[in-house]
Amino acid sequence: MTAEEIVNSWDQENIETILERYGEEQFARKIAEEIVKNRPITGTFQLVEIIKSAVPEWYQHKKIHPATKTFQAL
Protein backbone atom coordinates (compact mmCIF):
# COMPACT_ATOMS: atom_id res chain seq x y z
CA MET A 1 0.00 0.00 0.00
CA THR A 2 1.29 3.44 -0.89
CA ALA A 3 0.58 6.91 0.46
CA GLU A 4 -0.91 7.75 -2.93
CA GLU A 5 -3.46 4.95 -2.55
CA ILE A 6 -4.34 6.09 0.95
CA VAL A 7 -4.92 9.77 0.12
CA ASN A 8 -6.79 9.01 -3.10
CA SER A 9 -8.98 6.06 -2.11
CA TRP A 10 -9.47 5.82 1.66
CA ASP A 11 -12.46 7.48 3.26
CA GLN A 12 -12.08 10.56 5.44
CA GLU A 13 -12.57 8.72 8.72
CA ASN A 14 -9.78 6.21 8.04
CA ILE A 15 -7.37 8.92 6.90
CA GLU A 16 -8.14 10.87 10.06
CA THR A 17 -7.51 7.78 12.17
CA ILE A 18 -4.05 7.12 10.76
CA LEU A 19 -3.09 10.80 11.05
CA GLU A 20 -4.09 10.77 14.72
CA ARG A 21 -2.65 7.35 15.57
CA TYR A 22 0.64 7.35 13.67
CA GLY A 23 1.32 11.05 13.28
CA GLU A 24 -0.23 12.37 16.50
CA GLU A 25 -1.59 15.18 14.34
CA GLN A 26 -3.85 17.55 16.28
CA PHE A 27 -5.54 18.81 13.09
CA ALA A 28 -6.16 15.32 11.70
CA ARG A 29 -9.88 15.86 11.07
CA LYS A 30 -9.43 19.06 9.06
CA ILE A 31 -6.46 17.68 7.11
CA ALA A 32 -8.37 14.49 6.26
CA GLU A 33 -11.35 16.56 5.16
CA GLU A 34 -9.20 18.70 2.86
CA ILE A 35 -7.44 15.65 1.42
CA VAL A 36 -10.76 14.08 0.45
CA LYS A 37 -12.03 17.39 -0.95
CA ASN A 38 -8.99 17.93 -3.16
CA ARG A 39 -8.69 14.52 -4.82
CA PRO A 40 -7.00 13.35 -6.94
CA ILE A 41 -3.70 14.17 -5.27
CA THR A 42 -0.87 13.61 -7.72
CA GLY A 43 2.25 14.62 -5.83
CA THR A 44 3.88 15.56 -2.56
CA PHE A 45 3.94 19.29 -3.26
CA GLN A 46 0.18 19.26 -3.85
CA LEU A 47 -0.32 17.35 -0.59
CA VAL A 48 1.84 19.85 1.31
CA GLU A 49 -0.28 22.74 0.02
CA ILE A 50 -3.49 20.93 1.02
CA ILE A 51 -2.14 20.37 4.53
CA LYS A 52 -1.02 23.99 4.85
CA SER A 53 -4.48 25.17 3.81
CA ALA A 54 -6.07 22.95 6.48
CA VAL A 55 -4.10 24.17 9.50
CA PRO A 56 -4.09 27.58 11.22
CA GLU A 57 -1.50 30.17 10.28
CA TRP A 58 0.32 29.92 13.64
CA TYR A 59 0.79 26.17 13.13
CA GLN A 60 2.73 26.86 9.94
CA HIS A 61 5.41 28.75 11.89
CA LYS A 62 6.33 26.06 14.40
CA LYS A 63 9.76 24.45 14.61
CA ILE A 64 8.71 21.52 12.41
CA HIS A 65 7.07 21.82 9.00
CA PRO A 66 3.25 21.60 9.18
CA ALA A 67 3.22 18.54 6.89
CA THR A 68 5.79 16.53 8.86
CA LYS A 69 3.35 14.64 11.09
CA THR A 70 1.06 13.80 8.16
CA PHE A 71 3.92 12.44 6.08
CA GLN A 72 5.16 10.48 9.10
CA ALA A 73 1.74 8.90 9.49
CA LEU A 74 1.43 8.01 5.83
Side-chain angles (χ1 to χ4, degrees):
M1 173 142 327
T2 66
E4 181 181 21
E5 291 171 350
I6 293 169
V7 298
N8 285 310
S9 64
W10 284 24
D11 64 30
Q12 181 177 329
E13 184 179 323
N14 285 327
I15 294 172
E16 180 182 343
T17 299
I18 65 163
L19 296 181
E20 287 174 341
R21 186 172 297 153
Y22 299 113
E24 299 178 353
E25 175 57 66
Q26 67 185 34
F27 296 105
R29 174 170 286 144
K30 183 65 176 157
I31 293 169
E33 179 183 314
E34 289 300 313
I35 286 171
V36 170
K37 241 193 263 187
N38 288 283
R39 288 177 177 166
I41 298 170
T42 57
T44 56
F45 292 114
Q46 181 186 6
L47 182 56
V48 166
E49 291 306 313
I50 290 166
I51 295 164
K52 287 169 71 175
S53 74
V55 299
E57 181 70 28
W58 62 266
Y59 193 71
Q60 296 180 33
H61 301 288
K62 293 182 71 168
K63 198 180 338 183
I64 66 167
H65 192 279
T68 298
K69 291 181 177 184
T70 298
F71 277 79
Q72 174 184 326
L74 294 172

